[in-house]
Amino acid sequence: MSPQELSDISEKWKIIKDLFREYYRKRPLKLPQDLELREIAIQVFDSPTYIRHKAFQTPDQLYKFIYLKIPRHIYYSSAKYSNPAAPSMDEKGWLGSDLVFDIDADHIPGCRQVHIYVCKDCKYSSSYKISKCPNCNSNNIEIIDLSLDDLCIDLAKNQVGLLIHALDVELGFSNFSIYFSGHRGFHIHVPLEEELAKLSSDERREIVDYLKGVGLSRDLILFSSKSRTRKATPALPRISNGGWRTRVSRIMLSKDLKKELEMYIKNMDILPSYKDMKRYLKDLNEALEQGKIYLDEKVTIDTSRLIRIPGSLNGKAGLIVIEVNDIESFRFNQELSPFNEIMMRVRYETSIPQVKILGMSIGPRHRGDYEVLPGAIAIWLALKDICTVLGITR
Amino acid sequence: MNSKIYIDLAKYPFLADLDIFMKERLGIGTESLGILLDPTLPYIDIAVKRFKEIMKLGEKAIHQMKLLSAEEEVFSFYILLLILSTLNNKRVTERVITAFAKRFSKFLEDEHGKTLEAIAESLNINLKYLGPCGKELTAAITVNGVEIHICYDYAVHVIDYIKIVSKRLSQSISWKLTNQIVYKGWVYLDRHKTIRFLEEAIALKIYSSIKPIEPIPELTDLINNLRKYVGLTTPYVSKRIEIKHEKIGIELPKEIINVNAFPPCIRNIYELLTSGSNLSHQQRFAIATFLINIGMDLDEILELFKHTPDFNEKVARYQIEHLAGLRGSKKKYLPYSCETMKSLGMCVSECNVKNPLIAYLKNIRKSKAGGEKSENNAKE
């Protein structure tokens, strides 16, 4: 990059960097007790590369580093190391890792994202898929995730509900925290200590497979060998049966069931008839599909994964990686941004169709248009290279 | 509840701490390990006899093994581990451990639930005996409205379950965590599965105690004898390969095999082989001759061929030894030339050499020139 280009980039991000700095001045990070054992990594605004293998003894030292660098993204390692600043994994001395799960709305079937296709050379944009720019013939096309349906977040919340129930009631991990990822998904952290933290990747994969239903056998779950005669039918699972039977029971209870069956599933001392049991087998098959949790398995299996620090800002969307105490009442709106109380003047660098972002309808807008937008929306668009923030109007 | 549970070390010698056990019975600890190898004592004979029987009969050998005294069982068992560590051969180790684990499993079948719990604890496994039908589920309902139950007598902590099954057992869907009854962090098992689970845990524990070692002087002759007995490659074979290499004018690094340096055609077949695909006759010939010529141990090659769906150890061993020039015409075969590979449709990339072996040699040299670690690999 030429010095001119570098100075343009740093000019472009100046206002946002100042806002990020101001945000981190409030010391908003939720840091682990064993901070000194974690690797810290950041990405800054002016370069796409990671600054890795950092380690800090105290929060003060970490914040000093943050004020100096103003990270666009900041992560810590799910792993604990005896020497977290060492440059190679061999030298770091792995002591174990927390268990981390990632649910991304865009990986869930049924979630529809609003993409636009932007020519990186001339900024021409299209809502339809293009592989070549019709304006300047360039092949340099970038897909930008402009926004996502509210339905996507609802689907992700539903998945989080399934996951935390499975972690707690089935696998017995009752100590976990849920975080909104600051963009379009959720992270679930299960802190592990000592021997448990030393689970290998293969062992973690077994947990992921369990949650995702990999290798799920309907016959084994329903003990089909016990009902192989024509005179018997598999019994519906009950909520306290355990394993996938518990998961499926919860899903069955959300369906329209005969009272008697509902009571049976809830463990009451009642036995539905052969006919009723048989009647609901179709719903049961459906429930077995609905119980599969859409996790990004790479995140869980990797024992040296970098994860976003709770309380930090996600540099893809400008929202806070915030702890969610009750997943049901989580709302995807502008309040997730620390900048929701300011207004910003922006210039569009790319045309966009009409779109709903964080609950607000905007557009269509053309390249070169000016607009004053709420801070949360302006920063969302700016971090996706749709617009440039020109100033703040408080 | 507090009554002490007695575990018979004669039946489960792997649970004995050898040092403590020696001190208890002989008044000296493992610093005088050599005493166990004294030919006037019975232990070494028991170990060798059992070893040979297992090599001959496999798991069936356990029916002929009488239960001896705790000293005889524990000391001979540790001598056997010493032999396995010295022989350092995967196939032999696996055969012996599998048979012994089956033997221990047979003993477990006669134990009370509380004893199984205690044995598990000695293996660092959190297992609970719940009592007969401690957890009961309704599995099915008959037309007449009769419930069919399923019973679980045991529960193992989910993390311990994962640690044991994820190594090998979970390849079978009936062991995958996905299909287990897991509730509040406990996996529920019936007695039959619990014993199979413990058998696996025992096998893994024994595996982890076997580390390659140099033969100790007292055992050198015995080890050489046993090597011959189990048909492990003798130095004679390596020499033979060396002569061949000199003849075709290339010197390949022997013993240490670098899969990353395989030419693409061989790499392709190698991956098919290890993924369990059924290879054509030509593919088998190409990979076997290649591996023989780069100096891979014949037992290791045989080990790879175990992945083939139609594997028959006797036949495969004969064929590999034949290709290596140890049988029949005593002619050692070279891999197909690149030209032949092309005409057989097995060539996947133009390497500009005449034989896949040369491509391997070039790749090895390249990695030697550029790599730090490969220097060690190239040395024997």
Side-chain angles (χ1 to χ4, degrees), chain A residues 90 168-173 195-196 198-200 202-204 206-207 209-211 213-218 220-223 226-227 230-236 238-246 264 271-274 277, chain B residues 124 135-152 157-188 190 193 373:
Chain A
D90 288 347
D168 183 9
V169 177
E170 299 165 25
L171 297 174
F173 294 116
E195 279 311 299
L196 293 189
K198 291 196 172 139
L199 282 176
S200 68
D202 283 345
E203 289 157 359
R204 287 165 201 256
E206 200 62 40
I207 295 177
D209 284 355
Y210 171 79
L211 295 165
V214 175
L216 184 72
S217 155
R218 183 186 178 278
L220 290 169
I221 297 295
L222 298 185
F223 309 120
K226 299 276 176 192
S227 53
R230 283 179 60 195
K231 288 181 181 159
T233 184
L236 290 183
R238 286 173 147 163
I239 196 93
S240 66
N241 279 177
W244 265 75
R245 290 178 71 88
T246 292
Y264 164 82
L271 189 66
S273 68
Y274 171 86
M277 288 283 199
Chain B
N124 271 329
K135 185 176 174 87
E136 187 183 48
L137 305 186
T138 309
I141 285 175
T142 68
V143 184
N144 307 328
V146 177
E147 278 181 85
I148 300 171
H149 295 292
I150 200 150
C151 272
Y152 300 94
H157 192 269
V158 64
I159 297 294
D160 292 329
Y161 181 86
I162 290 170
K163 288 198 162 180
I164 300 301
V165 305
S166 68
K167 303 280 187 303
R168 308 190 296 189
L169 286 180
S170 71
Q171 280 160 16
S172 137
I173 59 158
S174 64
W175 283 99
K176 255 198 111 49
L177 183 64
T178 308
N179 295 314
Q180 306 311 308
I181 292 296
V182 46
Y183 195 65
K184 300 263 182 203
W186 293 89
V187 178
Y188 289 82
D190 62 22
K193 262 189 126 168
K373 281 185 186 165

Side-chain angles (χ1 to χ4, degrees), chain B residues 7 115-127 197-198:
Chain B
I7 300 175
T115 312
L116 295 187
E117 207 179 81
I119 290 171
E121 197 187 332
S122 313
L123 293 163
N124 271 329
I125 288 169
N126 195 351
L127 176 87
F197 174 81
L198 288 176

Side-chain angles (χ1 to χ4, degrees), chain B residues 13-212:
Chain B
F14 56 90
L15 292 180
D17 178 315
L18 185 61
D19 189 51
I20 297 173
F21 191 80
M22 279 180 72
K23 281 180 183 147
E24 239 174 57
R25 308 287 166 129
L26 305 173
I28 41 172
T30 41
E31 69 284 354
S32 316
L33 194 63
I35 194 169
L36 300 182
L37 304 172
D38 186 328
T40 61
L41 293 173
Y43 313 127
I44 201 160
D45 284 347
I46 300 168
V48 171
K49 187 168 168 254
R50 287 180 170 181
F51 175 86
K52 287 185 171 175
E53 273 167 7
I54 291 171
M55 291 319 294
K56 206 160 51 182
L57 302 170
E59 282 177 25
K60 284 181 202 143
I62 64 172
H63 303 301
Q64 300 178 6
M65 286 183 205
K66 273 196 201 129
L67 183 61
L68 308 171
S69 70
E71 283 93 347
E72 287 168 317
E73 289 289 349
V74 171
F75 294 145
S76 68
F77 180 74
Y78 277 94
I79 292 171
L80 199 54
L81 295 189
L82 193 65
I83 291 173
L84 293 178
S85 297
T86 316
L87 286 174
N88 185 23
N89 179 280
K90 218 179 130 200
R91 176 180 63 93
V92 172
T93 304
E94 196 168 313
R95 198 171 169 88
V96 173
I97 292 182
T98 308
F100 263 91
K102 260 293 163 269
R103 178 174 202 246
F104 303 139
S105 181
K106 287 263 175 272
F107 293 138
L108 293 174
E109 282 172 13
D110 297 329
E111 304 288 6
H112 185 270
K114 281 282 165 197
T115 312
L116 295 187
E117 207 179 81
I119 290 171
E121 197 187 332
S122 313
L123 293 163
N124 271 329
I125 288 169
N126 195 351
L127 176 87
K128 284 195 297 196
Y129 174 55
L130 310 167
C133 212
K135 185 176 174 87
E136 187 183 48
L137 305 186
T138 309
I141 285 175
T142 68
V143 184
N144 307 328
V146 177
E147 278 181 85
I148 300 171
H149 295 292
I150 200 150
C151 272
Y152 300 94
D153 304 355
Y154 299 84
V156 61
H157 192 269
V158 64
I159 297 294
D160 292 329
Y161 181 86
I162 290 170
K163 288 198 162 180
I164 300 301
V165 305
S166 68
K167 303 280 187 303
R168 308 190 296 189
L169 286 180
S170 71
Q171 280 160 16
S172 137
I173 59 158
S174 64
W175 283 99
K176 255 198 111 49
L177 183 64
T178 308
N179 295 314
Q180 306 311 308
I181 292 296
V182 46
Y183 195 65
K184 300 263 182 203
W186 293 89
V187 178
Y188 289 82
L189 300 172
D190 62 22
R191 185 173 164 88
H192 175 74
K193 262 189 126 168
T194 303
I195 289 172
R196 178 67 189 89
F197 174 81
L198 288 176
E199 178 187 324
E200 178 71 2
I202 291 167
L204 293 177
K205 184 189 155 79
I206 303 173
Y207 271 115
S208 70
S209 63
I210 292 175
K211 305 265 152 63

Side-chain angles (χ1 to χ4, degrees), chain A residues 344-360:
Chain A
M344 289 175 159
R345 212 166 94 81
V346 305
R347 184 184 63 231
Y348 285 90
E349 306 298 345
T350 294
S351 303
I352 54 164
Q354 189 180 29
V355 64
K356 205 168 136 191
I357 296 169
L358 297 170
M360 181 182 165

